């Protein structure tokens, strides 16, 4: 069976994973874009390479991700790799962990701070874009 990757659906998946609304993506793509046009784009099976490159730049995701990601294959790999029987890693019991829990907590805390700072920076960038739009 010859299965074709649905690039528009992949754009939608990655956009949603990033928590970006269609309107915000349209704003980042330029003046000739709007929510309706993004909706139509996400229904297209194949998207022009130049447009995919622009979307890739805006979402900061490689073009290849839109061209090659197949959710069905990913689910099959996960389903065939992990099972809930006794041989599964989900049921494994490690009595001698090789990590320091305090170091792990500190690392998670640092990552949380970095994420918060990145979110603040993105909020500031969005506010400046909105201010530019209001000035037009």
């Amino acid at each position: 069976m010859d299965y074709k990757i649905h690039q528009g659906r992949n754009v939608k998946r990655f956009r949603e994973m990033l928590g970006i609304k269609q309107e915000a993506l349209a704003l980042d793509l330029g003046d000739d874009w709007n929510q309706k046009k993004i909706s139509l784009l996400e229904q297209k099976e194949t998207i022009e390479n130049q447009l995919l490159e622009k979307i890739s730049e805006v979402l900061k995701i490689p073009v290849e991700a839109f061209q090659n990601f197949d959710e069905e294959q990913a689910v099959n790999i996960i389903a065939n790799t992990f099972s809930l029987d006794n041989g599964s890693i989900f049921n494994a019991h490690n009595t001698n962990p090789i990590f320091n829990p305090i170091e792990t907590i500190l690392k998670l805390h640092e990552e949380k701070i970095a994420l918060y700072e990145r979110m603040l920076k993105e909020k500031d960038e969005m506010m400046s874009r909105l201010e530019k739009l209001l000035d037009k």
Side-chain angles (χ1 to χ4, degrees):
M1 183 176 142
D2 188 24
Y3 179 75
K4 191 157 173 104
I5 304 289
H6 197 289
Q7 295 175 353
R9 197 173 301 131
N10 285 343
V11 168
K12 179 179 180 178
R13 280 191 189 105
F14 288 114
R15 176 186 59 74
E16 288 176 342
M17 281 191 267
L18 293 169
I20 297 173
K21 301 271 187 203
Q22 289 179 332
E23 297 87 3
L25 179 57
L27 180 66
D28 287 339
L29 287 176
D31 293 335
D32 56 332
W33 284 90
N34 58 35
Q35 181 273 326
K36 179 70 174 168
K37 199 169 175 183
I38 296 293
S39 180
L40 293 172
L41 172 82
E42 291 176 348
Q43 295 173 25
K44 291 176 70 174
E45 188 168 338
T46 305
I47 300 172
E48 304 80 34
N49 283 339
Q50 186 177 358
L51 181 54
L52 267 182
E53 288 173 10
K54 191 170 183 181
I55 294 168
S56 168
E57 184 181 312
V58 169
L59 296 180
K60 296 176 179 64
I61 293 177
V63 173
E64 294 79 16
F66 302 116
Q67 295 170 331
N68 300 323
F69 180 74
D70 181 5
E71 185 176 38
E72 190 172 316
Q73 284 181 349
V75 169
N76 284 337
I77 290 169
I78 292 169
N80 291 328
T81 305
F82 303 109
S83 64
L84 296 177
D85 62 7
N86 289 335
S88 172
I89 63 166
F90 293 119
N91 292 326
H93 181 67
N94 186 358
T95 57
N96 189 15
I98 57 171
F99 64 89
N100 183 342
I102 304 232
E103 287 178 8
T104 305
I105 290 171
L106 287 174
K107 182 180 176 200
L108 289 172
H109 181 69
E110 290 170 2
E111 290 174 359
K112 183 174 77 171
I113 289 172
L115 174 64
Y116 182 69
E117 289 172 350
R118 199 166 59 241
M119 289 171 62
L120 285 174
K121 181 181 175 192
E122 289 177 8
K123 179 198 68 105
D124 291 341
E125 290 171 358
M126 183 63 75
M127 292 300 292
S128 67
R129 278 191 242 143
L130 289 172
E131 288 171 355
K132 287 179 187 175
L133 280 175
L134 290 174
D135 290 341
K136 285 186 179 182

